[in-house]
Amino acid sequence: MASSFAMRLVHLGYAVHVVGEATAPAFAAGDVLVGVSGSGNTSGTVRAAGEARRAGGRVVAVTTDADSELAAAADAVLLVPAATKNRAEGETATAQPLSSLFDQAVHLALDAVCLRLAAEAGIDNATARGAHVRTE
């Protein structure tokens, strides 16, 4: 879901990289990390948040748990009330396996963020399509 969000931000004209990709640069002051973890305790995501903070960056946590390690490291938290693979007490009930419900809810929530950013910047479908990879 984080990679999909990154792709949409690129379509909107933002300079975006995905942690762990070969071409991703080191964090720098002023950078923003959007960390997505249902539990908020995924070690790699929490580690990336710490690195972003040490570099002078900001962290936005997308999680179900306001009391998680990721939320504690964040400047802002987007709480997504959905079931994760952990099925923690208080999570929304679902028949879907693992973190499917969380993934779907995050996709919709982050897409809503993109819609808002596009509206504020006056970016329509044709403009976003111009930034999309062309394969034909």
Side-chain angles (χ1 to χ4, degrees):
M1 295 306 99
S3 292
S4 293
F5 182 52
M7 180 180 66
R8 290 292 180 242
L9 291 174
V10 168
H11 295 158
L12 297 177
Y14 291 89
V16 179
H17 300 279
V18 175
V19 172
E21 301 247 332
T23 58
F27 288 109
D31 286 350
V32 177
L33 172 81
V34 178
V36 179
S37 167
S39 69
N41 296 313
T42 306
S43 61
T45 307
V46 171
R47 191 171 42 256
E51 289 297 322
R53 295 302 299 252
R54 281 188 285 285
R58 292 172 293 165
V59 175
V60 175
V62 180
T63 183
T64 64
D65 188 353
D67 297 320
S68 66
E69 293 178 66
L70 181 60
D75 298 287
V77 178
L78 174 58
L79 287 177
V80 178
T84 67
K85 65 181 173 283
N86 298 324
R87 296 300 196 265
E89 186 176 330
E91 285 186 356
T92 303
T94 182
Q96 293 180 293
L98 302 170
S99 293
S100 292
L101 185 60
F102 175 73
D103 294 342
Q104 293 162 356
V106 166
H107 181 80
L108 292 172
L110 295 180
D111 203 43
V113 169
C114 290
L115 287 170
R116 175 78 181 259
L117 292 171
E120 289 176 0
I123 297 172
D124 61 8
N125 186 65
T127 304
R129 185 174 163 90
H132 196 280
V133 173
R134 298 193 190 270
T135 58
E136 40 311 309

